[in-house]
Amino acid sequence: MPIAIPTLREGDISLRPVRIRDAKLLEQELMENRGWLRKWEATSPYAPMSFDTRASIRGLLSHARSGNGLPFIIESDGELAGQLNVSSITWGSLSSATIGYWVSERFAGRGITPTVVALATDYCFFQLGLHRMEICIRPENAPSLRVVEKLGFRYEGLRRRYIHINGEWRDHFCFALVVEEVQSGVLARWHDGTVPPNAAMITPADLAASAHPLPVTKK
């Protein structure tokens, strides 16, 4: 079923639906932040990276129409600051989704990312009726690891060579929440200072393992 993409706000930070007419501005933002974003960008092992931003937006909107995604633009005080996508939405007995995002370098460190992740998670839990939200993060991505720590996403484990990023299959740490854990809401729990202090703590064994990527066996 199609999903209506809402506009969600907290102060001067907002999530709004991505639009085809955002293509030019998004492409400019992505190009200006290549050095900042490249090492975290999802890539394809089967095709070169495409910068057809208009086609990318069309694909995201198609996922929303099929009920599988929610593509957002992140804005700070009305200025485009990045993107957040709720993807892999699964209904029925699983009722789960995954969150991915990027924020331009000049907006980093302002609390924008945890705010929009909390807004999107609360919407998926309390408006869409999803049960579980997941975020997977590369071990080297310290800013994103701080986001899940702030919001109390619970650490679930190391996924080896999980997502193709910047031209290679990369390990990821997996974090998740289920709605029963945050009945007051993710944003409210963060603002109230009641986030469990060690929920996102990565086990020493996984930290050690992540320092040694799996060797690739050549055929």
Side-chain angles (χ1 to χ4, degrees), residues 143-182:
S144 277
L145 292 174
R146 286 195 292 272
V147 169
V148 292
E149 181 180 359
K150 288 177 181 179
L151 298 181
F153 273 71
R154 177 175 28 79
Y155 180 63
E156 290 196 333
L158 173 64
R159 296 186 179 178
R160 288 297 205 176
R161 296 177 61 81
Y162 181 56
I163 303 175
H164 202 267
I165 302 287
N166 193 25
E168 297 287 345
W169 292 105
R170 311 286 184 175
D171 292 350
H172 282 68
F173 292 137
C174 178
F175 303 84
L177 282 173
V178 294
V179 67
E180 292 89 349
E181 296 175 274
V182 285

Side-chain angles (χ1 to χ4, degrees), residues 8 121-130:
L8 308 171
T121 302
D122 284 345
Y123 181 79
C124 288
F125 279 158
F126 304 114
Q127 302 301 317
L128 292 187
L130 295 181

Side-chain angles (χ1 to χ4, degrees), residues 48-126:
M49 182 75 176
S50 171
F51 280 97
D52 189 342
T53 311
R54 189 176 296 269
S56 174
I57 293 172
R58 287 197 186 99
L60 291 171
L61 293 174
S62 175
H63 284 303
R65 288 192 295 272
S66 64
N68 297 317
L70 284 169
F72 292 101
I73 291 291
I74 302 169
E75 291 186 336
S76 176
D77 201 19
E79 186 178 357
L80 190 149
Q83 282 184 276
L84 181 145
N85 293 314
V86 179
S87 61
S88 302
I89 296 177
T90 304
W91 304 96
S93 58
L94 190 56
S95 293
S96 73
T98 298
I99 293 179
Y101 48 81
W102 63 265
V103 173
S104 297
E105 185 173 13
R106 68 184 185 280
F107 290 101
R110 300 188 189 181
I112 293 172
T113 306
T115 298
V116 295
V117 169
L119 285 170
T121 302
D122 284 345
Y123 181 79
C124 288
F125 279 158
F126 304 114

